[in-house]
Amino acid sequence: MRRVLEPVQLRVAEAKARDVGKRRARVSNNVLEILQASAGDVVELIGRRSTVAIIWPDEDIDDNTIRIDGQIRKNAGVSINDIVSVKKVDAKVARSVTLIPLDKKINADKDFCEFVKNRLKCMPLVEGDEISVIVLGSPMDFKVSKVTPKTIVRVEPTTKLSIQSANIVEKKARVTYEDIGGLRNQIERLREIVELPLRHPEVFQRLGIEPPTGILLYGPPGCGKTLIAKALASEAEANFFSINGPEIMNKYYGETEARLREIFKEAKEKAPSIIFIDEIDAIAPKREEVFGDVEKRVVAQLLALMDGLTDRGNVIVIGATNRPESVDPALRRPGRFDREIEIGVPNAEGRYEILQIHTRGMPLEESINLKKLASELHGYTGADIKALCREAAMKALRRYLPEIDLESDSIPPDVLERMIVTSKDFYDAMKEIVPTALREFYVESQRITWKDVGGLHEAKRILYDNIVKAINERDRFEAMGITPSKGALLYGPSGCGKTLLALALANESNANFIRVKGPEILSKWVGESERAIRDIYKKARASAPCIVIFDEIDAIARNRTNSEGSEVTDRVLSQLLTEIDGINIKGVVTIGITNRPDLIDPSLLRPGRLDLIVYVKPPSKEERLEILSILTKRMPIADDVNLGSIAESTNGYTGADLSSLCREAAINAMREDRSIIYAKDFEHALKRVRASITPQIESWYESISKSVTYAMPKQMDKAFYG
């Protein structure tokens, strides 16, 4: 291949999470050949200014693209989609390097300088660059003030490194797209409607259209709405004006409106600008729902400032709220807030990206599996994951505290080097960090599997085919042109494993689990019970995939034709039907559990609501043996215990009865001060623990199953139930 003397022109793309802070530039193998470079070589990147990076191959990149992180982009004076010139260079060994801390005053003693030098070992540098060094899990930013010789250099053990602690340079906080995880689709949409008009307004002028003027970001707290706005401002090199909704409100007449006008005026003068209004529902609520005059005037002023008739210049307004339904509808029309983008709770892939971001500077033990950890963080927002990482680091720090002299001005470098965050630190931190989106309802991620549920093979098969596959293999349902079931009703005698089956269902589908006990949500206050139902489903959608289970659903879903029903339960049932109908394919499944299927309102059991009607039967002899095997798996039972014989003699026993039987046998053994359970202990237990299922009960369930299956519950059998 011919030698190319000219630099290669490449288009800038954002870096992958694993490369952030490592000064890597990723290119294709073909580009490496053209540059006549190998992995690890130093290249010069020339944009509006010149910087250096370490070249690295990437198989998933085209020949016209280079991936560099936000810091390298800033050093080169380029943004995403800009063109940068790349050429291979030789870095000389630095005799001396002088750094200036950008945002923190530090005690730059000899040990700390040595620590920083070890972190920068073999790193290419050029005067004027900004670099980051990870200290105790947090990045510390420096500016390369001086290098000797005055060329592209690399840090080696012979390099003399010094830090000027006296001169602190004021640094504007810079947030890049690499600092945001799990929101790739939202960022792409925002870049089109924010970054492009701010950096290249001539494109819209050529097309003869006005660029978008405003965006409303909505979603639960801590999901990255403010972070996205800051990243957009940094990447577009725009001025950022932040308005906190409650803070701007003033009790004096006209002061709030005047402050808004000042901000918009200043933003226009310093264009391109982004005005970010956090908690916009606080200053622009629905005018028909507020009694104060101040809020109405503020809304009117904001409408005037945002109106398309007002020449605002190159200014884009971004609003953020977690209550979009509370924002005045006049703001939510085209010409004001042109786009509404949901910033939701991240999924497993998004959580993995966020974990990579917040652990990129952590000294992690090699056995930590971040992907597995991310799959277990159901319902965690970006802010929660950040707090989790911080708490895990703090737990690691506590292990090393005995080795640290708190009275000393500095920590010995050898202690810093030995610090490591383990997998146990993260799991211990999970016990203390409750997900923000789910604090009002306890959401569990279960560890119960199908193997923990004895018997019930037919019920398992139905639930697996219709619910587990619908959550884990949604594409297959879409390919077949069908809609998955929205829910199921599990009914049968008490103690037969209905709740356990639902718990296993949540685990098999890798879903969260919200357990609601029917009577608990009923309130004497008008509207409170309905609101509880709405909140449950709101949280479920936020933590999807999620299975909502209503234990004793007959308490809130009684047949409305029944004269014994109340106005409260009727309203609760109506709200429940509305919520289930409103659930589209977002991984929210409703499971109802009852032992009185004859009381359930028929409207709840029609197709499109609780589609699946599953009868959880009392266990057969074979199923009882299977249950006994599971229950005695960890019990020290003697060789004379015949589980098959026990299963034979326990006709009419439910799973709960068998659990009680095993417990009673163990207690009898402990009563006689024995560590092994013998057959005689089970014989004793059989005399004390009676069967719950009588032939009459079984017959009643068998008869009613025929009518319940067709969503037509049988009227209450008063002869049986009294």
Side-chain angles (χ1 to χ4, degrees):
M1 182 169 294
R2 67 184 181 91
R3 185 176 182 87
V4 177
L5 302 176
E6 296 291 325
V8 179
Q9 307 291 313
L10 299 174
R11 190 170 294 277
V12 175
E14 60 188 289
K16 294 184 177 179
R18 66 177 184 268
D19 291 332
V20 175
K22 297 179 180 178
R23 297 186 72 80
R24 284 180 183 171
R26 293 266 184 182
V27 297
S28 68
N29 288 313
N30 289 337
V31 173
L32 271 180
E33 289 184 24
I34 294 170
L35 290 169
Q36 299 184 358
S38 304
D41 286 347
V42 178
V43 291
E44 185 178 12
L45 309 178
I46 305 168
R48 286 194 289 276
R49 64 179 301 276
S50 174
T51 189
V52 287
I54 301 169
I55 200 78
W56 214 258
D58 192 339
E59 295 178 357
D60 302 327
I61 198 171
D62 61 60
D63 294 342
N64 300 314
T65 303
I66 181 170
R67 293 189 179 276
I68 52 178
D69 65 22
Q71 191 172 70
I72 298 175
R73 293 199 300 270
K74 184 183 180 184
N75 289 335
V78 294
S79 299
I80 291 175
N81 288 331
D82 285 351
I83 301 296
V84 66
S85 298
V86 184
K87 65 178 182 180
K88 181 184 172 184
V89 293
D90 293 323
K92 295 183 179 180
V93 177
R95 292 198 298 272
S96 66
V97 174
T98 304
L99 304 179
I100 301 176
L102 289 178
D103 51 1
K104 296 176 184 175
K105 189 162 183 174
I106 57 173
N107 182 20
D109 57 11
K110 184 179 177 182
D111 288 342
F112 185 78
C113 289
E114 195 66 26
F115 173 81
V116 172
K117 189 172 80 172
N118 288 336
R119 292 289 184 187
L120 297 176
K121 194 172 169 183
C122 299
M123 196 75 73
L125 300 174
V126 67
E127 274 189 16
D129 272 5
E130 287 187 11
I131 58 170
S132 294
V133 177
I134 303 299
V135 181
L136 297 178
S138 300
M140 187 174 289
D141 295 328
F142 297 91
K143 185 174 182 178
V144 182
S145 172
K146 187 179 178 182
V147 296
T148 306
K150 290 187 175 295
T151 182
I152 297 169
V153 299
R154 67 176 188 273
V155 179
E156 295 291 345
T158 57
T159 302
K160 183 183 178 183
L161 187 140
S162 60
I163 299 173
Q164 295 180 3
S165 52
N167 300 321
I168 305 296
V169 178
E170 290 295 326
K171 177 181 174 245
K172 189 170 98 174
R174 179 176 172 86
V175 181
T176 65
Y177 294 138
E178 288 88 4
D179 297 324
I180 304 171
L183 298 171
R184 185 170 289 113
N185 294 334
Q186 291 91 331
I187 287 173
E188 285 179 6
R189 289 178 62 190
L190 284 163
R191 283 191 60 213
E192 290 174 1
I193 56 181
V194 176
E195 192 176 327
L196 190 60
L198 288 178
R199 297 186 64 213
H200 304 289
E202 66 275 7
V203 174
F204 291 86
Q205 293 171 8
R206 178 68 181 92
L207 293 171
I209 59 172
E210 290 186 0
T213 56
I215 300 124
L216 183 66
L217 306 178
Y218 65 94
C223 289
K225 298 185 291 293
T226 307
L227 197 65
I228 277 184
K230 288 180 178 178
L232 285 167
S234 294
E235 295 285 355
E237 298 180 354
N239 290 294
F240 187 75
F241 297 86
S242 181
I243 301 173
N244 196 321
E247 288 180 359
I248 202 169
M249 301 300 285
N250 196 300
K251 65 179 179 179
Y252 296 106
Y253 193 91
E255 285 293 320
T256 307
E257 301 94 298
R259 180 63 184 138
L260 276 174
R261 289 194 297 271
E262 286 173 13
I263 292 170
F264 273 79
K265 182 182 177 184
E266 188 180 357
K268 186 180 175 181
E269 290 171 352
K270 295 182 179 180
S273 303
I274 290 177
I275 299 175
F276 178 68
I277 308 176
D278 208 359
E279 306 298 341
I280 194 171
D281 55 283
I283 65 170
K286 289 182 178 176
R287 284 170 287 184
E288 64 269 21
E289 295 182 1
V290 295
F291 299 101
D293 188 42
V294 177
E295 288 86 353
K296 293 178 181 178
R297 292 200 315 272
V298 171
V299 172
Q301 180 64 76
L302 195 57
L303 291 174
L305 291 167
M306 289 197 63
D307 206 308
L309 296 175
T310 304
D311 181 19
R312 294 191 288 112
N314 202 8
V315 178
I316 288 179
V317 182
I318 300 177
T321 179
N322 50 18
R323 300 173 60 205
E325 69 281 353
S326 300
V327 179
D328 195 274
L331 276 169
R332 299 175 68 182
R333 71 150 176 85
R336 288 159 185 165
F337 284 123
D338 299 85
R339 301 283 193 281
E340 293 187 4
I341 297 176
E342 182 179 6
I343 311 296
V345 177
N347 56 16
E349 186 180 347
R351 294 195 295 269
Y352 177 53
E353 289 180 14
I354 297 167
L355 267 175
Q356 284 182 305
I357 290 167
H358 292 299
T359 59
R360 66 172 56 134
M362 279 188 180
L364 302 177
E365 70 172 350
E366 293 182 1
S367 61
I368 287 183
N369 188 340
L370 290 181
K371 187 164 284 189
K372 181 178 179 293
L373 180 64
S375 67
E376 299 177 21
L377 297 176
H378 298 282
Y380 277 67
T381 64
D384 295 328
I385 294 173
K386 183 180 180 181
L388 178 76
C389 295
R390 183 171 59 245
E391 185 61 32
M394 290 302 299
K395 289 188 177 298
L397 179 61
R398 289 184 193 114
R399 290 200 307 272
Y400 296 95
L401 276 179
E403 303 178 43
I404 298 173
D405 183 8
L406 298 178
E407 300 295 327
S408 175
D409 293 335
S410 62
I411 299 172
D414 62 312
V415 177
L416 290 176
E417 291 291 342
R418 280 191 288 110
M419 284 185 177
I420 193 167
V421 183
T422 65
S423 181
K424 185 177 181 298
D425 294 327
F426 278 98
Y427 284 101
D428 288 344
M430 283 173 64
K431 298 174 184 176
E432 299 181 18
I433 305 297
V434 180
T436 305
L438 310 167
R439 281 182 183 165
E440 294 176 20
F441 296 95
Y442 184 60
V443 178
E444 307 172 79
S445 182
Q446 295 301 325
R447 298 292 179 271
I448 297 171
T449 65
W450 288 137
K451 295 179 181 178
D452 299 319
V453 183
L456 305 178
H457 300 296
E458 180 65 15
K460 288 178 187 175
R461 185 189 62 78
I462 294 171
L463 293 172
Y464 182 83
D465 290 343
N466 288 273
I467 292 176
V468 175
K469 283 187 177 178
I471 293 174
N472 295 337
E473 304 174 27
R474 190 177 300 169
D475 295 342
R476 294 185 65 182
F477 279 76
E478 293 175 357
M480 298 296 285
I482 57 174
T483 304
S485 298
K486 290 185 177 181
L489 178 72
L490 308 182
Y491 74 96
S494 298
C496 288
K498 299 184 292 294
T499 304
L500 194 67
L501 191 61
L503 289 168
L505 178 65
N507 183 68
E508 292 294 329
S509 54
N510 295 314
N512 292 313
F513 181 80
I514 300 179
R515 186 177 178 185
V516 184
K517 295 180 181 177
E520 287 182 352
I521 64 172
L522 295 176
S523 173
K524 65 179 180 178
W525 306 108
V526 177
E528 284 297 310
S529 302
E530 300 92 300
R531 192 177 75 167
I533 295 287
R534 289 195 300 271
D535 288 345
I536 288 166
Y537 278 93
K538 182 180 177 183
K539 300 295 181 182
R541 285 189 288 269
S543 60
C546 185
I547 293 176
V548 182
I549 178 169
F550 288 92
D551 223 345
E552 308 299 339
I553 195 173
D554 52 276
I556 61 172
R558 294 238 170 179
N559 196 329
R560 286 175 287 192
T561 60
N562 188 357
S563 59
E564 294 182 11
S566 69
E567 188 181 342
V568 176
T569 54
D570 288 353
R571 291 199 310 270
V572 170
L573 175 60
S574 299
Q575 184 66 56
L576 182 61
L577 295 175
T578 304
E579 291 294 336
I580 295 175
D581 284 340
I583 297 174
N584 47 21
I585 309 174
K586 287 188 177 180
V588 179
V589 176
T590 305
I591 304 290
I593 294 178
T594 183
N595 55 4
R596 291 296 306 274
D598 59 309
L599 301 181
I600 304 294
D601 193 90
S603 61
L604 190 61
L605 304 182
R606 73 156 175 81
R609 288 168 181 163
L610 299 189
D611 306 78
L612 306 172
I613 314 294
V614 183
Y615 177 31
V616 183
K617 300 179 180 180
S620 62
K621 175 189 168 183
E622 291 77 15
E623 290 175 331
R624 292 197 297 272
L625 177 60
E626 191 177 336
I627 294 168
L628 283 167
S629 301
I630 294 170
L631 291 171
T632 58
K633 187 165 55 178
R634 296 185 178 180
M635 294 175 66
I637 57 175
D639 293 337
D640 67 339
V641 176
N642 188 337
L643 295 181
S645 174
I646 298 172
E648 183 79 41
S649 57
T650 51
N651 188 37
Y653 280 65
T654 65
D657 294 336
L658 294 173
S659 177
S660 182
L661 180 77
C662 293
R663 184 170 60 250
E664 183 61 36
I667 288 172
N668 191 65
M670 288 191 293
R671 192 180 293 121
E672 297 182 7
D673 203 23
R674 286 185 279 108
S675 58
I676 297 177
I677 305 165
Y678 292 95
K680 63 181 183 180
D681 297 314
F682 280 96
E683 292 170 6
H684 172 80
L686 282 167
K687 296 175 183 176
R688 295 184 62 93
V689 180
R690 301 293 182 184
S692 298
I693 307 294
T694 63
Q696 294 89 345
I697 291 176
E698 193 167 2
S699 174
W700 185 84
Y701 277 103
E702 288 288 348
S703 66
I704 204 169
S705 66
K706 299 177 180 148
S707 56
V708 174
T709 303
Y710 296 100
M712 291 294 293
K714 183 178 177 182
Q715 292 298 314
M716 188 186 301
D717 191 343
K718 294 191 177 181
F720 183 77
Y721 276 104

